[in-house]
Amino acid sequence: MSGPVDWWRDAVVYQVYVRSFADSDGDGIGDLPGITARLPHLRDLGVDAVWITPFYTSPQHDHGYDVSDYCDVDPLFGTLADADTLLARAHELGLRVIVDLVPNHTSSQHPWFVEALAAEPGSPARARYLFRTGRGPGGSQPPNNWLSVFGGPAWSRVGETDQWYLHLFDSTQPDLDWRNPEVGDMFAEVLRFWLARGVDGFRVDVAHGLFKEESLRDQERPEVASGHDGANEAREMVERTVGDEPMWDQPEVHEVYRRWHDILDEAGPDRMAVAEAWTQTPESMARFVRPDELDQAFNFSWLLADWSAAAFADVVTGTLAAVDSVGAAPTWVLSNHDVVRHPTRYGGGPRGLARARAATLTMLALPGSSYLYQGEELGLEQVEVSSGHRQDPSWFRTGEPGRDGCRVPMPWGGQTPPFDFGPAGSSPWIPQPEEWASLTVEAQAGDPGSTLEFYRAALAARREHARGLGAEVEVRLDAGDVLELRRGPLTVVLNCGNTPTALPPGEVLLSSAGLRCAGGTTYLPADAAAWLRSAAVQPSSAEL
Ligand code: GLC
Ligand code: MG
């Protein structure tokens, strides 16, 4: 692929949730050939790269985040040949491809875990995982008080024995013991396998989790542990890393990323890795992206910020300072497959969508890269999935609705479900709302007021006016809950207040909502953002 070797530093990356993007064979579940066929949508949208969630062999208890073979494709999603075709087609279209890597745990059906269960306590096969002796009479109580992120205890007992194994997520996702060198060696091979097939990068799942404090001591605040399905729950997840929780963000993990950095380098200067690391502060996030570690980390503080100019300003300032201290590029993200979609988080309905568009336009002006989640370009909201259709493991463990509502299959065209997600007559694995008829790609394409055309225009404007502007951002808070961010000649104004605000002088390039002019002044409505170019400053490098 052509382009700069450090392409990720200002890329727009589009996340594809495999099960829910496009279904080529009509089994109701998205697959790799489905993605390949829809890649032109991503090119037309104007993104630079696509991150594809796990498509490896998996019993699908956590929809692929439970991997039983890291170097093969699950038949549900296709074959290795389909993966090669997808990569080739993406590269032809100028799109980079990031695949997901799940190193914290395997599936309980991974050959290693099957072997471990069949082996004796204390055996080398068990030493690849975290088996421990239980507490209390006969070892009938878990070895410590840790709770699973998906609810309930983080330990499961091996039959009636006194042995238990650790799983920070579902019981079908046993945590590996990264203190065992075999584990690191296995993942080094997995990285090389996919790099040799031509992937451009990796998204590292639970990057803050691999190492646990050796003592496996009790955690201090187990009561806030459960939940994994929205901003509040995500906040709780971050809360768990407060202080010195023994299962997250241990210093030893960074040695792993130094090794991976070298493996990526060997494959070429343009290969990257981005960490999913839920950390407490921008500073702890920055530790994952030191020059000899991973390249990027998702900036969840942007996603977690309240709808307030001051909150967004704090995140921008804190993030830029933190990544600058290690020379990394920042990232911005508002939605993914684990959290409530951002129009719904911002209140839902027309107001939630207006705010969502405004927040998106704001982040696209910032230095660094933006990660978009499939369907946000259509303005999709979180769906209330009926309990009979819920499949998130956290729903089964806690009875909480879980994350299925942001994973409803994409509406592409047509008047009724499956909205061209799959062939006519097929039934998507989660039913799509009938109202999505007006939100399909087909329905929105060409309509200048649509969210899809807004995203296309915003991504085009970013290429033209924001790319290459440098990392300096001047952050200003104006009276009335208005945020102004200046980056060279580009200014973005975000109105978090309740009344229209007068825009500063300059040429309006784009706005997330209609503007009003009165008496020579242009007004930005509440819940909206606009990009302006100041007349007096240098043209952007894109124009030179
Ligand atoms: C990450 C993934 C999530 C998954 C979990 C366990 O948080 O994003 O979807 O359930 O890790 O692998
Ligand atoms: Mg399918």
Side-chain angles (χ1 to χ4, degrees), residues 126 130-135 138-143 153-158 161-166:
R126 288 213 173 172
L130 289 155
F131 283 88
R132 289 294 183 275
T133 305
R135 288 176 175 171
S140 61
Q141 299 301 312
W155 295 90
S156 286
R157 194 174 179 183
V158 184
T161 71
D162 63 358
Q163 292 299 297
W164 297 68
Y165 66 90
L166 178 72

Side-chain angles (χ1 to χ4, degrees), residues 122-470:
S123 60
R126 288 213 173 172
R128 295 170 181 141
Y129 294 89
L130 289 155
F131 283 88
R132 289 294 183 275
T133 305
R135 288 176 175 171
S140 61
Q141 299 301 312
N144 68 25
N145 71 350
W146 295 5
L147 293 178
S148 156
V149 173
F150 292 162
W155 295 90
S156 286
R157 194 174 179 183
V158 184
E160 291 300 298
T161 71
D162 63 358
Q163 292 299 297
W164 297 68
Y165 66 90
L166 178 72
H167 51 86
L168 293 180
F169 295 89
D170 192 50
S171 57
T172 60
Q173 296 168 298
D175 280 55
L176 287 159
D177 185 355
W178 271 85
R179 295 179 194 279
N180 183 334
E182 270 191 77
V183 172
D185 291 347
M186 191 263 263
F187 279 96
E189 286 318 304
V190 172
L191 284 169
R192 292 197 176 97
F193 177 87
W194 289 104
L195 287 166
R197 295 198 101 85
V199 305
D200 299 286
F202 298 92
R203 175 260 186 195
V204 182
D205 190 61
V206 198
H208 56 311
L210 314 194
F211 277 82
K212 286 77 187 170
E213 205 176 291
E214 206 153 15
S215 64
L216 301 187
R217 67 178 167 84
D218 279 351
Q219 79 183 110
E220 283 157 29
R221 310 178 56 208
E223 73 284 356
V224 295
S226 69
H228 196 358
D229 75 336
N232 283 335
E233 288 75 9
R235 248 180 228 121
E236 284 180 1
M237 173 121 155
V238 170
E239 287 292 301
R240 299 185 65 196
T241 67
V242 164
D244 57 348
E245 288 295 8
M247 71 290 280
W248 306 120
D249 206 4
Q250 300 298 307
E252 294 92 330
V253 80
H254 298 287
E255 211 40 64
V256 176
Y257 301 137
R258 291 190 189 102
R259 181 173 182 189
W260 291 6
H261 184 95
D262 292 343
I263 295 174
L264 290 162
D265 257 6
E266 281 162 26
D270 59 349
R271 313 297 175 98
M272 58 80 78
V274 52
E276 183 219 20
W278 293 87
T279 60
Q280 184 60 22
T281 60
E283 291 72 29
S284 47
M285 179 187 74
R287 283 201 290 272
F288 288 80
V289 293
R290 287 177 287 197
D292 58 348
E293 297 196 36
L294 303 176
D295 300 289
Q296 296 192 317
F298 293 135
N299 183 5
F300 291 121
S301 51
W302 182 249
L303 177 159
L304 296 170
D306 289 329
W307 182 257
S308 115
F312 286 124
D314 276 354
V315 174
V316 172
T317 313
T319 301
L320 294 179
V323 294
D324 190 49
S325 71
V326 290
T331 68
W332 312 97
V333 56
L334 288 166
S335 276
N336 64 34
H337 67 294
D338 291 329
V339 299
V340 172
R341 284 186 177 277
H342 59 287
T344 309
R345 287 205 315 271
Y346 292 144
R351 186 184 205 196
L353 180 60
R355 290 179 166 184
R357 288 167 55 141
T360 301
L361 192 60
T362 306
M363 96 179 165
L364 288 174
L366 290 168
S369 42
S370 288
Y371 282 80
L372 310 179
Y373 177 50
Q374 69 182 39
E376 68 171 84
E377 78 278 27
L378 304 177
L380 299 186
E381 281 211 45
Q382 193 78 1
V383 174
E384 285 239 4
V385 176
S386 68
S387 56
H389 284 101
R390 288 186 195 144
Q391 302 200 20
D392 186 338
S394 73
W395 154 250
F396 296 113
R397 290 179 67 86
T398 63
E400 301 286 328
R403 300 162 293 173
D404 297 309
C406 64
R407 300 173 174 181
V408 178
M410 282 278 284
W412 292 96
Q415 295 302 314
T416 52
F419 296 122
D420 293 345
F421 165 70
S426 61
S427 308
W429 66 283
I430 306 179
Q432 300 154 306
E434 301 282 339
E435 314 83 77
W436 278 11
S438 60
L439 296 177
T440 65
V441 173
E442 189 181 67
Q444 296 195 40
D447 169 1
S450 71
T451 300
L452 175 61
E453 291 301 343
F454 164 71
Y455 266 72
R456 287 178 176 166
L459 293 182
R462 175 184 162 95
R463 277 176 196 248
E464 193 181 339
H465 301 288
R467 193 153 269 183
L469 282 186

